[in-house]
Amino acid sequence: MSARADRLARVALNWLLEPGHLIGWEMVTAYGAPEALWRILHDPSCHSGTRNTAAARMRAGDPLQKAEALLDRAERVGARLIVPGDAEWPGQVDDLRTIDLPRGRNHVDRDTRPPLCLWARGSLPLAAVLARSVAVVGARAATEYGNRMATEIGFDLASRGWTVVSGGAFGIDGAAHRAALRAGGVTVAVLACGVDRPYPAGNTALFEKITETGLLVSEWAPGEDPLRHRFLVRNRLIAAATRGTVVVEAAARSGAIQTLGRAHGLPGRVAMAVPGPVGSAMSVGCHDALRHQPGTRLVTGAADIVEEVGTIGADLAPRLRGTTRDRDHLDDESARLLEAFQAGREATPDQLSARTGIDARSTLRRLALLTELGFVTDHDGVYTLARRGSP
Amino acid sequence: MSARADRLARVALNWLLEPGHLIGWEMVTAYGAPEALWRILHDPSCHSGTRNTAAARMRAGDPLQKAEALLDRAERVGARLIVPGDAEWPGQVDDLRTIDLPRGRNHVDRDTRPPLCLWARGSLPLAAVLARSVAVVGARAATEYGNRMATEIGFDLASRGWTVVSGGAFGIDGAAHRAALRAGGVTVAVLACGVDRPYPAGNTALFEKITETGLLVSEWAPGEDPLRHRFLVRNRLIAAATRGTVVVEAAARSGAIQTLGRAHGLPGRVAMAVPGPVGSAMSVGCHDALRHQPGTRLVTGAADIVEEVGTIGADLAPRLRGTTRDRDHLDDESARLLEAFQAGREATPDQLSARTGIDARSTLRRLALLTELGFVTDHDGVYTLARRGSP
């Protein structure tokens, strides 16, 4: 199968069946995407429910033509498609194939398979950005306390070189994104709609900033609407993409608590919650998780969080590095910085910034990524090419 | 040995060696109190450190004469001595013989043996009062939030028939005691000084109320001062006397956190902490315990607490009942209420109150105790003599 046929088939299947679809994912795993698509469209012996789901959506158009159109649209809006096998693919999301959840009564708890493809906007390479990442999520109707905690945590994580992942919503999500940006760090918004029309519109300025220095990511193709149930489907991706999920504030049985449950169900992910004053409705979900979800860790700030997720870093990071240790897939700025090194010679960020014309803040951010990817080594703020990363 | 000789020797040893003394307790266990005292005073082959400790204290007087004087003083101030074997002895404190603590560097972590004797003021029987009890402890410099939480918890526990145990201090302790009194419940202050001169003096009115409807308890004899290190020695008794310890607010490495550590080290005791706003110095100890002391349970109120300690009630209660199921050791009001029942007939609290002349609140409190002790059975607010408790 050609790479292009695989990409088109994944986009088509994702559109026909919606992300996370159990049987769709199993068929892609068994047959590859093009044959899975062919079977669902043409093989009468194929699972009838899946065929019916696809047939219903096909009234809106031919799936492969639709996929072509979506790829065209993506190009127009500055979005790109990422599929398994791409250097940018964050391999850890494939852990969703073994997610362990309480027996689900609805499709949201059943259709939790890995994404077939991802759409992204922003120049940084997705896998590298997510290699050291933490999800910071919570209530839209956050209190002043919650907003302050999300801001502190987002800022401090970003300052320590961790990518802050969240859902782009009002309240806790937005506070965490904004704080990461303010720290000059990297933040990723994982959306439940097309990356060309991020929701909510009230956060448009925020999304534009994230696109400039971070990433907008979605399983849904450009143009897709943020339908209600999609947020709950999306949450599994936030949990799977990161090393741990922190709920800052949440009402009981809220979306953020559902994300925390996904983290519990995934291997090696740390589920964390920030305590708050008893009596605040927005801390009930956190306290409830700390009481009743065994293994939920209480965290009071970035230091606690790094202590929690750092312990599994040794397990997770090498695998991520393996998928991305390829100079050809670096973003432009990172590649220029790498070329500015002289073999065997130390370089300071200032020197590198001067050699490349890349501003100081971006230089530091790229160096953190290059260090994480194993291309360069950080000696207390002075950098050298790493042996394995050198040409 | 006569009971009187045992009592005098225990008082004398307690005075000579201070409560919790490791070797003193082991010798009493091995030889009985009178012989242990004799050996420490007269046997040159006895552990020299222990002999030296005793010798130093003996400069202040002969230990048995001192013991006689203390018993006289107790009688004058309305206090009584309780020793193992007495119906009132709360057997659960003997669990201190196996307390499991991190290796201690100072005597407070080494001298953690069970009390040799206890002094009490107040008319209720100690073992019965402690059968369903929870310790609610915390910072003296409590915040408004902490005081509110301690008040809610103390009131609600007492309303549910649980005895609220604390240390009589300003702040959290005092708030918990006061709330239990306000709920018409039973509260016990475990002191680090004589029960005739409870500390701090600023809580004198509170201590007087506790004496009327609850109990003041101490390992230190009447007249003894609240020396600084005695509070830390006392804390093990608070943890051992109750089914669980709740820290409402505490700074890092505070006395309340030490009490929580004692609860961790004792079999079946639940260690609990109330969360609070991150950033409040008075919640740091609670959050730290929830993060770093495995098994610490987050609780947000009396319902959570009862859920935690209720689960071990079945284990703990029968043993306590066994030591106290004796009509002769009931307090006056309880005995009168028990006599006011007619065999095989139901009685309401109002009827019993009318028959005995005991006010409604005290009647309810005594009925809760009599129910706990197995003398009467509670059928949704209507009472009968229990078969095993009937004459």
Side-chain angles (χ1 to χ4, degrees), chain B residues 124 126 128-138 149-168 172-190 206 210 213-217 238 241-246 248 302 305-306 365 369:
Chain B
L124 297 180
L126 180 61
V129 160
L130 292 176
R132 270 162 61 90
S133 66
V134 174
V136 181
V137 300
M149 290 305 302
T151 299
E152 279 182 29
I153 288 171
F155 190 94
D156 291 348
L157 282 174
S159 301
R160 289 161 183 253
W162 287 81
T163 297
V164 174
V165 175
S166 195
I172 298 298
D173 289 17
H177 286 306
R178 280 189 189 90
L181 292 170
R182 205 146 54 235
V186 178
T187 191
V188 175
V190 180
L206 171 64
I210 294 177
T213 62
L215 285 165
L216 300 184
V217 176
I238 291 179
T242 52
R243 292 199 197 169
T245 295
V246 182
V248 177
I305 294 164
V306 170
R365 202 155 57 218
L369 276 175

Side-chain angles (χ1 to χ4, degrees), chain A residues 145 148-149 274-278 287 290-292 297-300 304 307-308, chain B residues 145 148-149 274-278 287 290-292 297-300 304 307-308:
Chain A
Y145 168 75
R148 195 176 73 236
M149 289 306 303
V274 176
V278 174
H287 294 159
L290 288 164
R291 265 186 73 63
H292 296 297
R297 300 289 299 154
L298 181 149
V299 292
T300 63
D304 289 351
E307 191 181 314
E308 296 294 337
Chain B
Y145 169 75
R148 195 175 73 238
M149 290 305 302
V274 175
V278 173
H287 294 159
L290 288 164
R291 264 186 74 64
H292 296 297
R297 300 289 298 154
L298 182 148
V299 292
T300 63
D304 289 352
E307 191 181 315
E308 296 294 338

Side-chain angles (χ1 to χ4, degrees), chain B residues 324-345:
Chain B
T324 54
R325 190 190 296 276
D326 183 344
R327 293 182 72 147
D328 298 339
H329 291 92
L330 286 175
D331 64 285
D332 229 41
E333 287 185 347
S334 298
R336 276 158 58 203
L337 280 167
L338 205 53
E339 279 165 27
F341 276 91
Q342 296 167 315
R345 299 282 289 274

Side-chain angles (χ1 to χ4, degrees), chain A residues 206-224:
Chain A
L206 171 63
F207 292 126
E208 277 168 17
K209 278 194 205 124
I210 294 176
T211 311
E212 285 165 26
T213 63
L215 284 166
L216 299 184
V217 175
S218 181
E219 293 180 78
W220 286 271
E224 290 284 353

Side-chain angles (χ1 to χ4, degrees), chain A residues 135-202:
Chain A
V136 181
V137 298
R140 287 186 300 277
T143 68
E144 195 189 315
Y145 168 75
N147 281 324
R148 195 176 73 236
M149 289 306 303
T151 299
E152 279 182 29
I153 288 171
F155 191 95
D156 291 348
L157 283 174
S159 301
R160 290 161 182 251
W162 288 82
T163 297
V164 174
V165 174
S166 195
F170 291 132
I172 300 298
D173 289 18
H177 286 308
R178 280 190 188 89
L181 291 170
R182 205 146 57 235
V186 177
T187 190
V188 175
V190 180
L191 304 172
C193 58
V195 292
D196 57 333
R197 43 188 302 186
Y199 175 91

Side-chain angles (χ1 to χ4, degrees), chain A residues 224-258:
Chain A
E224 290 284 353
D225 292 319
L227 304 180
R228 196 184 156 83
H229 79 279
R230 288 178 170 172
F231 291 94
L232 294 177
V233 173
R234 179 273 316 261
N235 287 348
R236 82 194 197 296
L237 182 60
I238 291 178
T242 53
R243 291 197 197 170
T245 295
V246 183
V247 180
V248 177
E249 275 194 327
R253 287 178 300 282
S254 59
I257 294 301
Q258 191 238 24

Side-chain angles (χ1 to χ4, degrees), chain B residues 267-318:
Chain B
R269 274 29 166 228
V270 188
M272 295 165 275
V274 175
V278 173
S280 165
M282 286 299 126
S283 285
V284 166
C286 292
H287 294 159
D288 193 62
L290 288 164
R291 264 186 74 64
H292 296 297
Q293 292 210 39
T296 306
R297 300 289 298 154
L298 182 148
V299 292
T300 63
D304 289 352
I305 294 164
V306 170
E307 191 181 315
E308 296 294 338
V309 297
T311 59
I312 62 157
D315 303 328
L316 199 54

